[in-house]
Amino acid sequence: MARGMVTIHAAQRALHLHLEWAIGRALGGFSEGFGLDWEAQPAEAGTYRATSEWEGPRGAGAMLASALREWSIPFEVTEESDSGHGIHYMVTPELGLFTGRTDAAGSVLVDEHRIHVAFAKYAGDAEALAEEFGRLLGVPWDAALEPLRHAQDLSRTIWMHRAG
């Protein structure tokens, strides 16, 4: 079995049930759908976000990312293994899919082959090489998703002056 998190950053209300069904099917099929607690997404008016833990067979993270990718919404899926390594999927409608293997701390790992290819392709062009390394690490996806993540963090903030 595998486990992880699925975060839908911004989806129209009309998509909620469809997205829950897609997640349920990817995780082995719940006919009534996978229930998510939706809340307004303050960073994108008229949309909602939801985050949930999931459990399923190994490789279910890829199945989740594939199922949700069809809906052209920004989302993230993580899958963790017992070894501490995992996979992080990030999707935005503009950038498409990013897939990165991760270590126990959640850092994206780039294998030696991809580094060698980047050096060979962009030899002598430091700016292009830096841009390629950023792409290999998922920097453009992180930059696009960060405002949506930040809004989520603020919604869970407990304001001490408001506490009774």
Side-chain angles (χ1 to χ4, degrees):
M1 293 295 285
R3 65 191 174 285
M5 296 289 293
V6 58
T7 301
I8 297 172
H9 288 291
Q12 299 292 326
R13 184 183 302 271
L15 295 179
H16 294 183
L17 192 54
H18 298 286
L19 294 169
E20 291 174 10
W21 285 339
I23 292 169
R25 281 191 305 273
L27 294 177
F30 296 103
S31 61
E32 297 177 20
F34 180 84
L36 294 172
D37 292 325
W38 296 93
E39 63 182 10
Q41 170 54 273
E44 201 169 301
T47 66
Y48 297 83
R49 61 172 177 233
T51 298
S52 182
E53 294 180 17
W54 62 267
E55 288 187 10
R58 288 191 76 163
M63 292 184 285
L64 281 169
S66 180
L68 293 173
R69 188 175 178 196
E70 297 178 23
W71 294 96
S72 295
I73 57 166
F75 70 88
E76 295 179 77
V77 173
T78 60
E79 180 174 328
E80 302 169 8
S81 70
D82 293 334
S83 69
H85 294 286
I87 301 177
H88 188 176
Y89 303 92
M90 295 184 280
V91 171
T92 72
E94 300 79 20
L95 297 170
L97 173 68
F98 170 83
T99 304
R101 291 183 318 114
T102 58
D103 64 12
S107 298
V108 173
L109 304 173
V110 179
D111 66 65
E112 181 180 352
H113 175 72
R114 293 177 82 184
I115 292 171
H116 284 295
V117 168
F119 275 124
K121 186 174 182 179
Y122 298 106
D125 188 345
E127 188 174 317
L129 181 61
E131 187 175 317
E132 178 66 5
F133 282 153
R135 190 187 67 72
L136 291 173
L137 293 169
V139 171
W141 288 265
D142 273 328
L145 293 171
E146 193 58 31
L148 301 172
R149 293 176 186 147
H150 182 68
Q152 183 170 347
D153 292 342
L154 290 177
S155 72
R156 302 204 189 282
T157 301
I158 298 171
W159 298 99
M160 295 308 289
H161 71 277
R162 293 183 188 167

